[in-house]
Amino acid sequence: MNMKLPPAEELRLVDEELGRLDARRAELLARRAWLLGVLHSPAGRPAALFGGGAAPAETSPRGAQNALLTLGGVLLAVAALAFTLVSWGSMGIAGRSAVLLAVTSATLAAPAVLLRRGLASTAEAVGALGLVLTVLDAYALHRVALPGTDGTGYAAVAAAVLAGLWAAYGGLLRGLRLPFPAAVAAAQLPLPLGAVAAGGGPAVVAWAGVLTAAADLLLLARPVGLAARITAGASAGVLAAGALLTGGWLSVTSPWTGAPLLAGCAALCLYGVRAARPAAGALAAVAGLALVAAVAGPARAALPADWTVPVYVVAGLALAALWRPVRAVRIPEAVRAGFGLAGGGVAALGVVWALPPVLGGLLGPAARGAGVWSGVHAEPVPGGYPATAALVLLLAAGGAAAAGRLWGRWGAVVLGWALLTALPVVLGLPYAAGLAVRLVATGGALALAVRPGALTRGLPEPVPAPERPAGAWGAAWTAGAQAAPVAPAALLAWTGLAAGAASAASALLPALDTRAATFVVLGVLLGLFGAVAALGAGAVREAAASAAVLVAAGLVGAAAAAAGFAPAVAGLVLLLVPAGTAAVAVRFRSAAVEVTGVVVGAVALALTVPRPAVLAPALALGGLIAAATALRPERRRAGSWAAGALFLAAAWVRLAVWGVTVPEAYTLPVTVPALVVGFLRRRRDPAASSWVAYGPGLAATLLPSLVAVWSDPSWVRPLLLGTGALAVTLLGARFRLRAPLLLGGSVLALVGVHELAPYVVQLVGALPRWLPPAAAGLLLLAVGATYERRLREARLLRERLARMR
């Protein structure tokens, strides 16, 4: 070791040397472990000869032994089968009997000797061969001694005898694991095969399967081996499934025959609940479905076809009623849960069957065949659905209400509303009655939106969401755990509002057939939504208020149409709605009402666009409404800008209607005092923005003059406007004012484009066709080459503008 090196270099060399020593030590320890394994293992030397001893074994000794024994047993079974089928006929009666007795007896006796010598695996393989030989013996006996016997009946008897023999054989040789499961498997055949041999129909065969499955379930309670229990359980499931399918088919074709079979299957499933704890709920649900089919099948057969679905729904709801615990009847919790699932599922399928009339009640009025106020309206037809669809919805609503939980009460509300919506369709109600029912549905739903607490009494409050954890888990918490449960009252209130809005639309569409119905329905809807807006709370109140504004707009529009006003004049009348919302907003601060009023105002202005003479006063009225809104401090900025823009637009439209070609005569008298007011405002408040002080005054003249320039062939107006825009731009740059700089510069640039446009057109026409694309390409290359510098200049320009007022 060199002691004269710097400490850091010496430390590095020491670390490298220690690493080499550790690696050498690990190599020597691995070699030592391998040598010890070779010395202490009898098979060590051959392993070293054939592979170096380091490769792991691909199979265990026991696995190799079992594979060999299984292969040997299979080969012997194949040989025995070939002997029975091929060589049997070449021997006499005595020879056949001797061979059967000798081979079967020797094979069945050999496992006893093998078990005493500790060769359990070999004994298992030989025992399995013996069981196969007994099956072959039974087959040979039928071929030789009983050839005229019915094959199915003989198979049933032979399966019973073999099951008994194998069970006894397994009892004598307790060390064998195969005889008992084999006996259980063979015991599944006697009763079904016997029923088939006796000429029984599907019901008799299914009953044989039910009895066999019951015996399997009884066996599960006995202290037998695990393999036998698994075999019995699997067999019981297969037989019960077959019996259930047969019972369901018979419930449709022959209800009085299928009902007892389904009841027996239900009893079998309920008995199996004890033995199959993990699947107890599923078995109980299957039992519940079987009971529903057993009860509803005969009842359905005794009633008309229209009552089929209601009968099943009644049976399902009766079964689902057992979901709630009753003191007088003790039903296990798993069974109650399964019954509730089965009964609720049947009722849900019934509701799905009854949904098309609900959709017809909602969407049917949209399929209008005649115009508005034509006086022609189509009477609703059932559309192939019987009136019992309404009964199904009523039953389902009652069942949901009886559940007593939030989801049940919510479901009852939705189903009750669906019932009222479907009534005009399923009952074929007349026009007036259909409108009345739809309005009742609207009123009931909106009443729930106002007072949802009537249906939430007794319900627990939702558990609040946990606090957001700190650290890296905060984002995951925000995406998942932050979703707190919805309060019951809020859920029911929003459900009522949504249902009420849908029913309102379904009532308004058919009401457009006649004038009187339109006004009546709009008036009722205005009262209903207004009541919700006055009595409701929170976001529901805001949404109802917005809907009330829309209904009011529809009422005003209908009144204008009834008075015979043209669309443009009707738009002018429609401005009463935003005026009303602006007035209401002074007392009741509702953002939803104001936004809806703005939307209605935009629609009103759009209606007046085809007639500029009406558009001008409409814009002026809109500006007046915006100016009145700007009196409120929180709306001052937005209202003032909107008012200025609308007044300016109204002035332009009026000038265009009058045919004025010199707008400056009207705009300059407005611009000068506006600029003076802005100057005084800036002196009093130096922090005021130049857009507020000078923007409206400058725009009042520059923008109309710019529009006039593009339609004026003279050179005087562009010259004067360009000079004025240049002066405004220089003043903005001198005093660092953003509004004059940007407005003047923009107008100056557009005037310059206007003046250069004819020359550019002439120049482009004189140039070769290839020159413009080439110039564009060179421009792109230049911009790309100086891209970074352009970005830097743009940032500097933005910073300079930001520092201006």
Side-chain angles (χ1 to χ4, degrees):
M1 186 67 65
N2 190 355
M3 300 299 181
K4 297 181 180 180
L5 293 175
E9 182 66 17
E10 184 177 354
L11 179 61
R12 184 183 64 81
L13 294 176
V14 169
D15 290 337
E16 291 179 355
E17 187 65 20
L18 290 175
R20 284 193 292 269
L21 291 176
D22 290 339
R24 182 58 178 167
R25 174 180 172 80
E27 180 181 356
L28 294 175
L29 288 174
R31 183 63 179 176
R32 180 178 181 276
W34 179 82
L35 292 173
L36 289 175
V38 172
L39 292 176
H40 295 287
S41 175
R45 190 175 302 276
L49 291 176
F50 286 98
E58 295 183 357
T59 182
S60 64
R62 178 60 60 88
Q65 180 187 16
N66 290 335
L68 293 175
L69 292 175
T70 302
L71 181 59
V74 170
L75 292 177
L76 288 176
V78 171
L81 180 63
F83 173 78
T84 303
L85 296 177
V86 179
S87 302
W88 185 263
S90 61
M91 301 180 64
I93 297 297
R96 298 173 187 176
S97 301
V99 169
L100 281 175
L101 180 61
V103 174
T104 305
S105 300
T107 305
L108 293 176
V113 179
L114 295 173
L115 288 174
R116 285 197 297 269
R117 296 190 176 183
L119 301 176
S121 299
T122 307
E124 198 73 51
V126 176
L129 178 61
L131 299 182
V132 174
L133 288 176
T134 57
V135 176
L136 296 177
D137 291 344
Y139 169 76
L141 180 62
H142 177 262
R143 289 290 303 273
V144 175
L146 303 171
T149 307
D150 177 62
T152 305
Y154 178 80
V157 174
V161 173
L162 288 176
L165 290 176
W166 290 351
Y169 183 66
L172 292 175
L173 300 178
R174 297 285 184 179
L176 297 181
R177 293 173 294 179
L178 185 61
F180 276 122
V184 173
Q188 310 304 311
L189 301 177
L191 286 180
L193 291 178
V196 174
V204 177
V205 177
W207 272 112
V210 169
L211 294 176
T212 305
D216 292 332
L217 294 179
L218 292 175
L219 183 62
L220 291 178
R222 306 280 298 183
V224 295
L226 178 61
R229 291 168 60 86
I230 293 175
T231 305
S235 301
V238 173
L239 293 173
L244 279 171
L245 293 177
T246 304
W249 173 67
L250 291 174
S251 177
V252 177
T253 58
S254 180
W256 292 101
T257 303
L261 179 59
L262 289 171
C265 292
L268 188 66
C269 291
L270 291 177
Y271 181 81
V273 168
R274 296 181 178 180
R277 294 296 176 85
L283 286 176
V286 173
L289 293 175
L291 288 175
V292 169
V295 173
R300 173 194 58 80
L303 294 173
D306 292 348
W307 290 86
T308 298
V309 176
V311 165
Y312 279 96
V313 171
V314 169
L317 291 176
L319 181 70
L322 299 177
W323 169 72
R324 304 189 68 175
V326 181
R327 294 183 179 180
V329 181
R330 294 184 178 180
I331 302 177
E333 182 179 357
V335 176
R336 289 192 290 106
F339 281 175
L341 179 62
V346 172
L349 291 176
V351 170
V352 172
W353 173 80
L355 280 182
V358 180
L359 297 178
L362 280 177
L363 306 179
R368 173 177 303 282
V372 177
W373 292 354
S374 62
V376 179
H377 46 266
E379 296 292 337
V381 295
Y385 275 84
T388 51
L391 178 60
V392 169
L393 294 173
L394 178 63
L395 292 172
R405 301 291 180 90
L406 174 60
W407 58 266
R409 297 182 186 184
W410 178 82
V413 169
V414 174
L415 291 171
W417 168 79
L419 170 62
L420 292 176
T421 306
L423 281 180
V425 177
V426 297
L427 298 182
L429 296 178
Y431 178 73
L435 286 180
V437 171
R438 288 183 171 92
L439 290 177
V440 169
T442 305
L446 293 180
L448 177 64
V450 175
R451 291 289 182 266
L455 294 179
T456 58
R457 293 191 182 94
L459 294 178
E461 290 295 329
V463 180
E467 296 183 0
R468 175 172 179 170
W473 291 102
W477 179 91
T478 302
Q482 189 180 10
V486 180
L491 175 62
L492 293 176
W494 279 108
T495 301
L497 183 62
S503 293
S506 69
L508 182 59
L509 288 174
L512 297 177
D513 292 343
T514 62
R515 181 178 302 181
T518 300
F519 283 100
V520 170
V521 171
L522 285 174
V524 173
L525 293 179
L526 181 60
L528 291 175
F529 283 109
V532 177
L535 302 176
V540 173
R541 177 181 181 179
E542 292 288 307
S546 179
V549 173
L550 292 177
V551 174
L555 195 58
V556 173
F565 293 155
V569 179
L572 191 62
V573 175
L574 196 60
L575 287 174
L576 292 173
V577 175
T581 58
V584 170
V586 176
R587 177 65 178 85
F588 304 100
R589 303 303 170 88
S590 174
V593 170
E594 292 186 76
V595 171
T596 309
V598 171
V599 172
V600 174
V603 173
L605 293 178
L607 290 174
T608 61
V609 169
R611 293 184 59 182
V614 182
L615 176 60
L619 290 170
L621 287 176
L624 183 62
I625 296 171
T629 304
L631 296 176
R632 295 163 51 194
E634 69 275 11
R635 296 288 185 264
R636 181 163 300 163
R637 183 179 182 86
S640 60
W641 277 101
L646 289 172
F647 281 136
L648 185 61
W652 292 348
V653 173
R654 175 51 58 191
L655 292 176
V657 171
W658 288 342
V660 174
T661 58
V662 185
E664 293 81 4
Y666 301 90
T667 59
L668 284 175
V670 177
T671 297
V672 172
L675 293 177
V676 172
V677 172
F679 176 75
L680 296 177
R681 169 73 183 276
R682 288 271 298 175
R683 288 187 63 181
R684 187 175 66 252
D685 182 13
S689 173
S690 62
W691 287 107
V692 176
Y694 303 119
L698 292 174
T701 293
L702 292 177
L703 297 183
S705 298
L706 181 63
V707 174
V709 161
W710 285 87
S711 60
D712 189 356
S714 174
W715 58 272
V716 177
R717 186 189 302 275
L719 178 61
L720 295 177
L721 180 61
T723 303
L726 177 61
V728 170
T729 304
L730 293 176
L731 288 174
R734 170 64 180 81
F735 295 102
R736 302 178 62 189
L737 297 175
R738 189 184 306 173
L741 177 63
L742 293 181
L743 281 175
S746 300
V747 172
L748 181 61
L750 291 174
V751 170
V753 171
H754 173 267
E755 293 302 304
L756 290 176
Y759 302 102
V760 172
V761 171
Q762 296 177 3
L763 180 63
V764 170
L767 293 176
R769 293 292 182 91
W770 55 267
L771 190 58
L778 291 175
L779 177 63
L780 292 177
L781 290 176
V783 172
T786 60
Y787 181 72
E788 293 295 333
R789 189 175 64 185
R790 303 304 177 199
L791 286 180
R792 185 166 57 253
E793 293 174 353
R795 283 195 295 267
L796 292 176
L797 178 60
R798 184 182 61 187
E799 293 172 358
R800 291 172 183 172
L801 288 175
R803 288 194 294 269
M804 294 182 179
R805 290 292 182 181

